[in-house]
């Protein structure tokens, strides 16, 4: 298995980071001066040190802190929901659920935690083996951490604003930690909940377990090079886990459905933002890249009109501040520096600007192109 993963990851192509000519240079980003990226190959003990002593790994450490902070915020919002649930006369009888009625009940809900742990370990091991270099490993892990942090913040808000009774038991009694716990106990609430020691009463919309496993699915869907075998194993594990969530009444069906949709949407928006940022930077596009591409390939008289006729998006969705935030979280600015596109101050280098202003492909007149394709 290990040899197959390694062969598949290297088959037919160079490691992506091999084109980064300045990856080993030391640059200052903000007030911190470090090597840009980890070494492509480990040849000496210094290379082992440089796996951790670079800007890419620093961003990874920040993303770990981000996930922990977001998890704690979600935990406090969940405790707020528990307090509201205990103080107000809510309906404490679990709601009817179509899938709960259709599926047999399994009492051991800890099976869900075991399947979650299996999914996380399988994904971590799979990408540790098949990723072609340390830069790729760090990028994939950082994306998972950043997106999951944002999802947990949004989930905490959803849990806090709408209180639903437990999907497992009627007249659920909230944990004493959530109601009267000390500051330290409240901080540990999240970790005890993940470990299965606590089972909150209102931890419903939407499913955090499903979100974490669906993010692993997205990692396999987007980043893997061995999709036919190993990605389908991941899909089957997650499918079994989702069914077990319903079998154990761990969540309502709507919690699972929303988690799948929200997680997929979050990954889609994040990856699309990174693609947009890459195109704007590499090709010196000003504004939305698709509109700029129309202008660069079509005669100026036709470009904007054709773009609006086909897409009708006078104001495309993507605020610039969101794009820069995602660039920082993804480490895209580090990779642009490693390629020599950006200098130490975050500006385009002279060589990059010269390349971008070189003659572009010939422009096309839309009227001539369409008149030639008309039926005779």
């Amino acid at each position: 298995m290990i040899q197959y993963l390694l062969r598949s990851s290297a088959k037919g192509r160079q490691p992506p980071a091999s084109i980064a000519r300045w990856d080993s240079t030391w640059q200052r980003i903000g007030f911190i001066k470090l090597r840009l990226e980890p070494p492509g190959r480990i040849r000496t003990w210094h290379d082992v040190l440089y796996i951790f002593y670079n800007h890419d790994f620093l961003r990874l450490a920040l993303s770990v802190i981000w996930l922990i902070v977001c998890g704690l915020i979600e935990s406090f919002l969940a405790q707020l929901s528990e307090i509201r649930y205990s103080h107000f006369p809510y309906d404490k009888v679990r709601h009817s659920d179509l899938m709960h009625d259709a599926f047999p009940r399994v009492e051991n809900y800890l099976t869900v935690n075991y399947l979650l742990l299996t999914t996380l370990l399988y994904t971590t091991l799979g990408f540790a083996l098949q990723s072609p270099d340390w830069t790729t490993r760090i990028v994939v892990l950082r994306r998972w951490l950043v997106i999951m942090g944002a999802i947990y913040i949004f989930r905490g808000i959803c849990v806090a604003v709408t209180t639903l009774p437990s999907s497992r038991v009627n007249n659920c009694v909230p944990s004493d930690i959530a109601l009267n716990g000390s500051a330290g106990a409240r901080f540990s609430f999240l970790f005890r909940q993940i470990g299965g020691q606590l089972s909150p009463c209102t931890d419903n919309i939407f499913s955090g377990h499903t979100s974490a496993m669906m993010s692993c699915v997205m990692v396999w869907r987007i980043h893997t090079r061995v999709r036919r075998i190993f990605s389908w194993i991941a899909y089957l594990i997650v499918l079994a886990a989702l069914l077990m969530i319903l079998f154990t009444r761990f969540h309502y069906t709507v919690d699972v459905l929303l988690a799948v949709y929200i997680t997929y949407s979050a990954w889609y928006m994040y990856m699309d933002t990174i693609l947009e940022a890459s195109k704007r930077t590499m090709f010196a596009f000003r504004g939305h890249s698709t509109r700029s591409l129309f202008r660069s390939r079509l005669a100026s008289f036709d470009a904007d009109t054709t773009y609006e006729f086909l897409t009708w998006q006078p104001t495309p969705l993507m605020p610039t501040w969101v794009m820069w935030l995602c660039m920082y979280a993804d480490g895209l600015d580090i990779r642009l520096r490693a390629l020599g596109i950006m200098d130490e101050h975050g500006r385009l280098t002279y060589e990059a600007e010269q390349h971008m202003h070189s003659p572009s492909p010939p422009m096309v007149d839309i009227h001539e192109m369409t008149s030639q394709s008309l039926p005779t």
Side-chain angles (χ1 to χ4, degrees), residues 78-86 174-175 178-179 189 200-203:
Q79 292 173 55
L80 175 62
S81 178
E82 297 284 283
I83 294 171
R84 293 177 64 248
Y85 176 79
S86 66
S175 166
L179 302 181
F189 185 90
C201 294
T202 62
D203 187 45

Side-chain angles (χ1 to χ4, degrees), residues 141-352:
L141 179 56
R142 189 167 53 221
R143 286 173 177 172
W144 191 93
L145 294 169
V146 169
I147 294 174
M148 281 306 304
I151 287 175
Y152 278 140
I153 288 283
F154 184 62
R155 180 176 184 271
I157 295 172
C158 292
V159 170
V161 298
T162 301
T163 301
L164 289 178
S166 171
S167 57
R168 296 188 64 248
V169 296
N170 294 326
N171 301 310
C172 180
V173 178
S175 166
D176 188 59
I177 295 178
L179 302 181
N180 306 302
S182 64
R186 291 186 182 279
F187 268 102
S188 67
F189 185 90
L190 171 67
F191 304 101
R192 298 183 67 178
Q193 180 181 345
I194 293 175
Q197 301 173 10
L198 295 176
S199 181
C201 294
T202 62
D203 187 45
N204 297 308
I205 294 178
F206 48 94
S207 170
H209 284 69
T210 303
S211 296
M213 290 185 287
M214 186 62 188
S215 280
C216 292
V217 168
M218 296 304 294
V219 166
W220 284 98
R221 174 63 181 84
I222 297 170
H223 300 101
T224 187
R225 293 178 177 174
V226 286
R227 292 173 54 185
R228 291 186 178 180
I229 300 176
F230 294 98
S231 59
W232 279 102
I233 293 176
Y235 300 159
L236 290 175
I237 295 173
V238 172
L239 178 61
L242 299 188
L243 291 175
M244 191 56 64
I245 287 175
L246 299 178
F247 289 170
T248 58
R249 312 303 190 252
F250 201 72
H251 277 283
Y252 294 109
T253 305
V254 67
D255 301 346
V256 175
L257 294 177
L258 285 176
V260 170
Y261 175 76
I262 291 170
T263 305
Y264 182 89
S265 299
W267 275 88
Y268 184 89
M269 289 186 290
Y270 182 89
M271 298 306 299
D272 190 60
T273 303
I274 297 302
L275 178 61
E276 173 69 16
S278 300
K279 290 188 290 186
R280 288 195 198 185
T281 309
M282 286 296 300
F283 304 112
F285 288 151
R286 299 293 181 260
H288 195 268
S289 63
T290 305
R291 181 189 286 271
S292 299
L293 181 61
F294 271 68
R295 289 171 178 169
S296 67
R297 297 301 306 274
L298 299 179
S300 59
F301 177 77
D302 303 305
D304 286 338
T305 304
T306 305
Y307 168 82
E308 292 180 0
F309 176 71
L310 292 175
T311 67
W312 190 241
Q313 298 182 53
T315 308
L317 288 172
M318 190 173 295
T320 302
W321 67 270
V322 173
M323 186 188 74
W324 283 105
L325 186 63
C326 290
M327 283 181 65
Y328 184 87
D330 201 71
L332 180 59
D333 59 313
I334 299 174
R335 299 194 292 278
L336 289 169
R337 285 176 167 88
L339 285 171
I341 303 299
M342 280 186 176
D343 61 18
E344 190 170 13
H345 304 288
R347 297 188 294 261
L348 292 179
T349 60
Y350 175 78
E351 291 81 2

Side-chain angles (χ1 to χ4, degrees), residues 94-115:
R94 62 188 183 91
H95 295 333
S96 176
D97 187 285
L98 181 63
M99 293 295 102
H100 289 183
D101 296 338
F103 293 147
R105 175 158 184 160
V106 176
E107 293 298 333
N108 186 12
Y109 69 90
L110 292 178
T111 306
V112 177
N113 289 339
Y114 301 148
L115 288 170

Side-chain angles (χ1 to χ4, degrees), residues 62-82:
L62 292 176
S63 66
V64 172
I65 296 173
W66 159 257
L67 181 66
I68 294 174
V69 170
C70 291
L72 291 174
I73 293 174
E74 183 215 19
S75 177
F76 292 138
L77 291 172
Q79 292 173 55
L80 175 62
S81 178
E82 297 284 283

Side-chain angles (χ1 to χ4, degrees), residues 23 29 32 34-39 47-66 134-142 145-146 328-335:
D23 59 340
I29 300 180
I32 301 175
L34 291 171
R35 177 184 166 126
L36 282 177
E37 291 188 338
D47 290 337
V48 176
L49 173 64
Y50 289 143
I51 291 176
F52 310 99
Y53 202 60
N54 57 77
H55 281 292
D56 235 3
F57 190 84
L58 175 62
R59 297 278 178 91
L60 177 62
L62 292 176
S63 66
V64 172
I65 296 173
W66 159 257
W134 281 99
T135 297
T136 308
R137 294 184 182 100
I138 290 175
V139 168
V140 173
L141 179 56
R142 189 167 53 221
L145 294 169
V146 169
Y328 184 87
D330 201 71
L332 180 59
D333 59 313
I334 299 174
R335 299 194 292 278

